[in-house]
Amino acid sequence: MKPAPFKYYAPTTVEEALTHLAEHGYDAKVLAGGQSLIPMMNFRLVQPSVLVDLNNISELSFINPDENGGLRVGAMARHHQVEVDPLVAIQAPLLHETMPKIATAQIRSRGTFGGSLSHADPSAELVSVNVALDGRFRLRSQNGERWVPAHEFFIGLFTTVLQPDELLVEVALPAMPVRSGWSLMEVARRPHDFALVGVAAVVTLDENRLCQQARMVFLSAGDVPMVAHRAAELLKGQAPTRESIRAAAEIAASEDIDPGGDIHATAEFRCHLANVLARRSLEQAFERAAGNE
Amino acid sequence: MSNLFDLAVTVNRVRYERAVEPHILLSDFLRHDIGLTGTHVGCEHGVCGACTVLFDGQPVRSCLLFAVQTHGHEVTTVEGLGTIDNLHPIQEAFHEAHGLQCGFCTPGILTTLVPFLEQNPNPSEAEIRAAISGNLCRCTGYQHIVDAVKLAAEKMRA
Ligand SMILES: Cc1cc2nc3c(=O)[nH]c(=O)nc-3n(C[C@H](O)[C@H](O)[C@H](O)COP(=O)(O)OP(=O)(O)OC[C@H]3O[C@@H](n4cnc5c(N)ncnc54)[C@H](O)[C@@H]3O)c2cc1C
Ligand code: FES
Ligand code: FES
């Protein structure tokens, strides 16, 4: 099928884009990389009557360092741009490792950081990774702006706190504390497919090499990115041994996630994979944290 | 709803000016508006790779881009790679190594490979398989495609 007709705007500034959104409200859709929106339009699952194309707004495609050793990523930074950015490789190694796992090269050349987050697919790597990294999102409308922490941004399946007149404009990622380690692991039937289950882990050790914080965020394991709260409680203050890691992975896979079953995998199989991935990712993350004084 | 957009785009080094409706996909514009039917359309949702073209030198899905979005940009399709008398080395290699059977997937694979081989003149087999992982082929079983890419890399290094 083909997309239904729409009125097309290609603003060159954020101001201009916000004006169109304010005017058209629920009738309008924002077009970023189009790699999720256009397939849905081709199938006529969505038929916006107005499309506001962000691709000519150059002020949104930056990747910059911030004053506190963190990183600022503009909403229109392409997946490929993030993948090859030297600053990302140094300051956000988890993000750097994540990018090649997203779709294929032809999708990464168009798809954007902000588009993936706004789309809020619980199977999208960036959604879980941004929660794991404690990212903060800057949203703008004609009425002003607000900052929303990543873990409050995603409120349901493909649903965020974004209002129809709001744009996600940038993401702030804090610097990782010392003695921190990271890991992203997933199982997909083919390398670039959406994962059956995956997990992003970020851990920090204290001066005595005990676990100060362990954050695991699962993808494809519920309607939103699933934060493993109980596993984190279990690990806090513990030495990261084989046993403590094994116990945390068990709890995460049995109590912290809520995967569904579909033609690709049953819920039970997803829980099994989550358990194995949680264990392996914690092992890798703690190992990296220990080497990262 | 008629709201025509005046599009000016360079395709295979030729400038085209056309009035198009914004909802026309680049794949359909190439095939129906300017008659370049070398770009194939399989799935129209980004999965099969048959519609891959180069957009300012980067491989993209032409089924996931509106034609109006190419205004002021450059597009290269399989027709822009070589001519019958003067094939691109990648096309030569696909011919010689039997890298195609029905040929439906071939234009998308060739356009994907141009920037890949320019950036990776000596790719490993694993790198080659990763590079073409976004292009489905129902005929070859991929082995001859991989052979063709190795041969193409050799030709391009020479
Ligand atoms: C074949 C295929 C395989 C894929 N595999 C994967 C994968 O393995 N992992 C993965 O994570 N993704 C995958 N994707 C999705 C891809 O990463 C998309 O790029 C991404 O989900 C959406 O980003 P986009 O920039 O293309 O957004 P668009 O498609 O342009 O937009 C998506 C939605 O977000 C809204 N939106 C976009 N930007 C903003 C903004 N700045 N502010 C407010 N709203 C906004 C749009 O209105 C729309 O509703 C795949 C896509 C395809 C076609
Ligand atoms: S037709 Fe575009 S990817 Fe299949
Ligand atoms: S040669 Fe027939 S699909 Fe590839």
Side-chain angles (χ1 to χ4, degrees), chain B residues 1-80:
Chain B
M1 194 193 314
S2 172
N3 53 337
L4 292 175
F5 180 99
D6 290 319
L7 167 65
V9 55
T10 304
V11 183
N12 302 332
R13 294 172 292 280
V14 178
R15 188 179 157 92
Y16 293 87
E17 290 180 16
R18 293 284 190 284
V20 295
E21 293 208 52
H23 67 115
I24 299 301
L25 298 171
L26 175 60
S27 45
D28 289 332
F29 173 78
L30 293 171
R31 292 175 55 83
H32 305 310
D33 287 69
I34 63 175
L36 295 175
T37 53
T39 298
H40 293 164
V41 172
C43 67
E44 288 189 333
H45 63 284
V47 173
C48 75
C51 70
T52 305
V53 300
L54 299 177
F55 177 75
D56 293 338
Q58 275 198 308
V60 300
R61 305 295 204 216
S62 63
C63 71
L64 299 186
L65 202 64
F66 293 110
V68 289
Q69 295 188 279
T70 64
H71 183 66
H73 293 270
E74 268 188 50
V75 174
T76 306
T77 69
V78 68
E79 288 95 338

Side-chain angles (χ1 to χ4, degrees), chain A residues 118-157:
Chain A
S118 305
H119 189 54
D121 184 336
S123 299
E125 284 84 356
L126 288 180
V127 168
S128 285
V129 163
N130 273 275
V131 175
L133 289 175
D134 223 357
R136 290 180 343 115
F137 301 167
R138 185 153 75 99
L139 316 188
R140 264 183 74 181
S141 74
Q142 273 197 323
N143 303 325
E145 66 166 55
R146 54 178 178 147
W147 282 91
V148 178
H151 65 91
E152 289 174 13
F153 181 78
F154 305 100
I155 52 177
L157 196 59

Side-chain angles (χ1 to χ4, degrees), chain A residues 1-8 31 33-35 38-39 41-43 51 53 55 80 104-107 109-110 192, chain B residues 1 3 5 22-23 25 28 43-46 52 55 58-61 63-66 68-69 112 130 133-135:
Chain A
M1 274 178 50
K2 307 291 177 188
F6 51 82
K7 202 160 168 34
Y8 175 73
L31 175 63
Q35 305 300 291
I38 301 182
M41 291 177 65
N42 287 355
F43 287 129
L51 220 49
D53 185 352
N55 284 279
H80 177 258
T104 62
Q106 301 101 330
I107 309 284
S109 59
R110 291 299 293 168
H192 301 291
Chain B
M1 194 193 314
N3 53 337
F5 180 99
H23 67 115
L25 298 171
D28 289 332
C43 67
E44 288 189 333
H45 63 284
T52 305
F55 177 75
Q58 275 198 308
V60 300
R61 305 295 204 216
C63 71
L64 299 186
L65 202 64
F66 293 110
V68 289
Q69 295 188 279
T112 297
S133 67
N135 296 81

